[in-house]
Amino acid sequence: MRRLKKSIKIALLLAGILFLVIVLSNYAIEKNAKNKVFETVESTPKNKVGLVLGTVKRLQNGQINLYYTYRIKATVSLYTAGKIRYIIVSGDNSTSSYDEPTDFKNDLVAAGIPEDKIFLDYAGFRTLDSVVRVKEIFGQDSVTIISQEFHNERAIYLAENFDINAVGFNAKNVSGRYGLKVQLREYLARTKVFVDILFNVQPKFLGEKIEIK
């Protein structure tokens, strides 16, 4: 019985510590992003390059992923307004049948953005990979990140850790059950940011540099 009580106390203590770490991580990332994320095109600063963070186009049930749709619309609105001149789409292309960057490119071109203004980063497996590669591969130390607000906040924190001057343009968020699940995962992702920084985690791949003139 004593062992059981001791085990319960230890478990509760660990759970409390984890909860505190999650809360502090979330607070630090939100506070850092203050005045660096923008809701309207008009208020968003100009940048040479916009970095679109990839996501799957279709959900497992075959429906269009609204996170994807809203990022497309946000990117088009920024480009059309002259707030960005080039676009880097960074996403997962880990298999021949899964290609986030090309899906984005096809829909951006269909929306009227010239193909030669779009650059694809096929090795954006994680947000960390995407923001580091925008500097190390594409040579940009200033960028407008395009995703939902919660994602932009985390990406900005990571970018600044790698000496990248970043702002975020917030695509429309997603509500409902699916949106809630993503938000819950985000809390853990924010905690992992500090683990990655602590252990100096680097992108899975780098490679040859790509010039954006």
Side-chain angles (χ1 to χ4, degrees), residues 16-27 187-188 190-191:
I17 292 172
L18 177 60
F19 178 76
L20 181 61
V21 169
I22 291 173
V23 169
L24 291 176
S25 299
N26 185 69
Y27 174 77
Y187 284 112
L188 296 178
R190 291 184 174 201
T191 304

Side-chain angles (χ1 to χ4, degrees), residues 50-61:
L51 171 65
V52 190
L53 299 177
T55 186
V56 63
K57 181 174 181 177
R58 292 188 180 275
L59 304 176
Q60 289 184 344
N61 60 12

Side-chain angles (χ1 to χ4, degrees), residues 74-117:
T75 305
V76 172
S77 65
L78 275 188
Y79 180 84
T80 302
K83 295 291 185 172
I84 54 175
R85 292 187 286 131
Y86 297 93
I87 298 161
I88 298 172
V89 181
S90 183
D92 190 345
N93 178 214
S94 53
T95 69
S96 58
S97 60
Y98 188 81
D99 188 349
E100 292 176 356
T102 299
D103 284 340
F104 269 91
K105 178 184 177 181
N106 291 340
D107 286 333
L108 289 171
V109 170
I113 295 180
E115 188 172 355
D116 63 353
K117 300 295 183 181

Side-chain angles (χ1 to χ4, degrees), residues 47-57 65-80 83-93 99-109 111 113-114 117-135 138 140 142-148 151-152 155-156 166-172 212:
N47 244 322
K48 179 180 178 180
V49 170
L51 171 65
V52 190
L53 299 177
T55 186
V56 63
K57 181 174 181 177
N65 178 6
L66 289 178
Y67 287 104
Y68 175 95
T69 300
Y70 295 151
R71 290 180 203 182
I72 291 284
K73 290 181 178 180
T75 305
V76 172
S77 65
L78 275 188
Y79 180 84
T80 302
K83 295 291 185 172
I84 54 175
R85 292 187 286 131
Y86 297 93
I87 298 161
I88 298 172
V89 181
S90 183
D92 190 345
N93 178 214
D99 188 349
E100 292 176 356
T102 299
D103 284 340
F104 269 91
K105 178 184 177 181
N106 291 340
D107 286 333
L108 289 171
V109 170
I113 295 180
K117 300 295 183 181
I118 304 171
F119 293 80
L120 302 187
D121 175 15
Y122 296 103
F125 304 115
R126 306 173 46 197
T127 304
L128 182 147
D129 297 58
S130 296
V131 298
V132 175
R133 287 174 57 82
V134 81
K135 179 178 182 179
F138 296 93
Q140 305 303 308
S142 180
V143 68
T144 299
I145 300 171
I146 305 166
S147 187
Q148 277 67 30
H151 199 185
N152 282 339
I156 288 170
V167 297
F169 179 62
N170 298 336
K172 184 179 177 181
I212 299 178

